[in-house]
Amino acid sequence: MIYVIKFIYSFVLPPGTFVVLLTLLALWLLWKKQRGPAVLLLAVTLLLYLASAPMIANPLMRSLESRYAQPEQVQGDCLVVLGGGATTGTPDIDGKGSLGGSAASRLLTAVRLHRLTGLPVLFSGGQVFADSGNEGDIARRQLLGLGVDERSILIENRSLNTEQNAEFTAALMKEHGLSRPVLVTSAFHMQRAVAEFRQAGMEVQPYPTDYHISAAASAAWYAGKLAPSPGAIETVGTTLKEYLGILAAVIKEKI
């Protein structure tokens, strides 16, 4: 019964409610014999539905997340963590501002790897928007709060995108005599990040984390995968953004 209620809710709340309303409007146009506008509206509605359906979003995201596997053994001289968003002014245990979901997940993985390997942690990320936090500064505070020694922390807090992450990190590593980065970022972001670091002259050992889709998601099937979901729209948007970024990196490499 719980799953039936969840399925119904998905069509009562956005984006499902928009799919229902647009479909009804298209049927009304057909009833009014306005075939052209009705067909166009149905096509738009179908695109909206497909973009919001987990059965489409999950395989798209998995196509990125499955590109690299976590290595069995870490081989490098520095753990490089890429930022992924932060808030400013929000309360935290020991200060103001917090890393966003993906950035926090990446940082947590790096701290665990640091405890296993003793490698220094280099966090890369600046303040992307006027109302967002400076990721590098927040990461420094949180790394210290998690017990990482200050001598094992390097911060790059100026970069605004993945290209600058790679460029500024390469310079900072060179300054500290480091040359073999273990790259820690979200699995969906790894392919683009590896390409940007390669263009910056650095070969990395990828260590993907922050997986969004279960490994068994492609095998499991249930009615909920047909239900429109705002999370699925976000997943599709994230995936398309990454593929555009990968395409841009490929074009830039060939120019």
Side-chain angles (χ1 to χ4, degrees):
M1 187 63 182
I2 291 176
Y3 297 106
V4 173
I5 294 174
K6 287 179 178 290
F7 188 81
I8 293 173
Y9 271 173
S10 68
F11 287 94
V12 173
L13 301 172
T17 185
F18 298 137
V19 172
V20 171
L21 291 175
L22 290 173
T23 301
L24 291 175
L25 179 57
L27 293 175
W28 180 79
L29 289 172
L30 281 174
W31 182 63
K32 289 291 186 177
K33 301 188 184 304
Q34 298 185 40
R35 184 178 178 83
V39 170
L40 179 61
L41 187 56
L42 281 173
V44 171
T45 305
L46 179 61
L47 286 175
L48 173 61
Y49 169 70
L50 292 176
S52 62
M55 67 175 180
I56 300 296
N58 291 356
L60 278 176
M61 178 62 82
R62 279 294 296 167
S63 70
L64 286 173
E65 292 191 332
S66 60
R67 298 293 175 90
Y68 292 93
Q70 283 190 352
E72 294 183 2
Q73 186 175 5
V74 173
Q75 297 178 333
D77 57 10
C78 182
L79 301 168
V80 173
V81 192
L82 304 188
T87 60
T88 183
T90 51
D92 197 9
I93 294 173
D94 52 4
K96 295 287 187 179
S98 299
L99 294 178
S102 287
S105 180
R106 299 169 189 179
L107 187 74
L108 179 59
T109 297
V111 171
R112 295 172 68 188
L113 288 174
H114 166 73
R115 290 177 178 171
L116 287 172
T117 65
L119 294 177
V121 179
L122 189 161
F123 188 96
S124 174
Q127 182 174 355
V128 180
F129 302 107
D131 60 349
S132 63
N134 187 293
E135 299 175 40
D137 295 344
I138 293 171
R140 181 196 301 276
R141 172 170 53 78
Q142 293 188 338
L143 284 168
L144 291 171
L146 289 168
V148 179
D149 191 286
E150 188 169 8
R151 293 169 296 181
S152 295
I153 299 174
L154 294 172
I155 298 296
E156 182 286 297
N157 62 0
R158 297 182 296 124
S159 56
L160 304 180
N161 56 26
T162 307
E163 181 181 5
Q164 290 185 357
N165 285 147
E167 178 186 350
F168 298 161
T169 294
L172 185 58
M173 289 187 65
K174 184 177 181 181
E175 180 183 333
H176 286 82
L178 302 168
S179 60
R180 295 183 295 125
V182 178
L183 185 59
V184 180
T185 190
S186 300
F188 69 80
H189 182 234
M190 185 60 77
Q191 184 175 358
R192 180 158 64 101
V194 169
E196 294 291 1
F197 271 80
R198 185 174 293 124
Q199 288 201 8
M202 301 202 77
E203 291 297 328
V204 303
Q205 181 186 41
Y207 200 101
T209 187
D210 183 43
Y211 289 86
H212 289 215
I213 307 299
S214 298
S218 58
W221 178 257
Y222 47 91
K225 288 192 174 183
L226 298 172
S229 160
I233 288 183
E234 182 179 4
T235 296
V236 169
T238 298
T239 304
L240 294 180
K241 175 189 173 184
E242 287 303 313
Y243 274 117
L244 284 174
I246 292 168
L247 177 61
V250 170
I251 293 174
K252 185 171 57 178
E253 187 175 4
K254 291 183 177 180
I255 293 178

